[in-house]
Amino acid sequence: MDLDKLQQLTEEFLRFFAEQKSLDLDNMPMVNFVMDEKYAKDPFGMTGYYSPEQSQIYVFVPGRHYKDIMRTVAHECIHHMQNLRGDLLEMGEMGEGYAQKNEKMRNMEKEAYLEGNMVFRDWTDTRKEQMKEERLLKESASASVPSKNQNLYERLLNKWTKGAK
């Protein structure tokens, strides 16, 4: 895993998220990448969590694809928005199975899954389009006429130029 690349992608995503959700970048949470293998070995282990008291996101990295890590960041960013709105005050029961037993937190999780994934999808689609445009610009800048076709190209160009008088 290239941690510099992960950092760059996260910063890009946070800027996009803040813009999409009309948040000031100063109000965005700090994202902490945790390199603890413990959760990577557990098929049902945590992938991340949000600390409302610290306004920080913790994401477990080992053994995961970049997009999976970024989806966790997106999900936890929605929890941060919920915290900013005051929705995470008086959360109620937060023990084992809270997302099934606590109706308020179930709704908070629904929002985080839906909104987080949609913002992430919008960002990846935008990012893919930017990468495609950058690749096309590079290709057109470095494109040259193959040498075996050079004479034909020059004759056609010369013909078109002459016909433009």
Side-chain angles (χ1 to χ4, degrees):
M1 168 84 40
D2 181 347
L3 293 178
D4 289 336
K5 181 69 171 175
L6 180 58
Q7 178 74 29
Q8 174 195 347
L9 291 171
T10 302
E11 289 172 6
E12 282 181 31
F13 174 75
L14 290 174
R15 282 192 297 276
F16 182 85
F17 185 93
E19 182 179 305
Q20 294 299 303
K21 296 298 183 180
S22 301
L23 292 174
D24 188 320
L25 276 173
D26 292 336
N27 287 334
M28 291 303 292
M30 178 183 290
V31 177
N32 301 285
F33 296 113
V34 181
M35 302 307 289
D36 189 341
E37 295 279 341
K38 171 182 158 186
Y39 296 103
K41 294 176 183 170
D42 180 354
F44 297 105
M46 293 192 327
T47 56
Y49 65 93
Y50 174 68
S51 170
E53 301 82 20
Q54 299 173 317
S55 291
Q56 293 190 24
I57 293 171
Y58 295 85
V59 182
F60 299 99
V61 172
R64 297 175 67 195
H65 189 279
Y66 289 99
K67 285 174 72 172
D68 183 41
I69 294 166
M70 298 303 299
R71 269 191 290 272
T72 298
V73 171
H75 176 97
E76 302 303 335
C77 279
I78 298 297
H79 286 317
H80 177 66
M81 282 185 50
Q82 293 166 342
N83 187 41
L84 293 176
R85 291 191 315 238
D87 293 347
L88 298 184
L89 299 172
E90 301 176 27
M91 292 186 289
E93 176 59 38
M94 289 296 294
E96 190 77 27
Y98 74 90
Q100 290 76 34
K101 298 173 189 170
N102 179 332
E103 191 63 32
K104 177 181 180 178
M105 290 313 297
R106 185 164 186 81
N107 289 328
M108 295 292 102
E109 285 298 321
K110 284 179 183 179
E111 179 185 14
Y113 279 108
L114 175 62
E115 292 295 320
N117 277 319
M118 292 310 297
V119 173
F120 177 73
R121 176 63 187 264
D122 292 345
W123 175 70
T124 58
D125 287 352
T126 301
R127 186 70 168 90
K128 285 179 194 175
E129 191 61 34
Q130 287 171 344
M131 289 173 68
K132 190 164 101 179
E133 288 172 12
E134 288 168 8
R135 188 178 68 248
L136 289 173
L137 283 173
K138 265 187 202 173
E139 287 172 2
S140 67
S142 65
S144 61
V145 178
S147 58
K148 66 181 182 177
N149 292 329
Q150 188 66 34
N151 287 337
L152 174 61
Y153 174 77
E154 287 172 356
R155 282 187 308 188
L156 289 172
L157 184 63
N158 194 21
K159 182 178 179 180
W160 292 332
T161 307
K162 286 181 181 175
K165 289 182 180 177

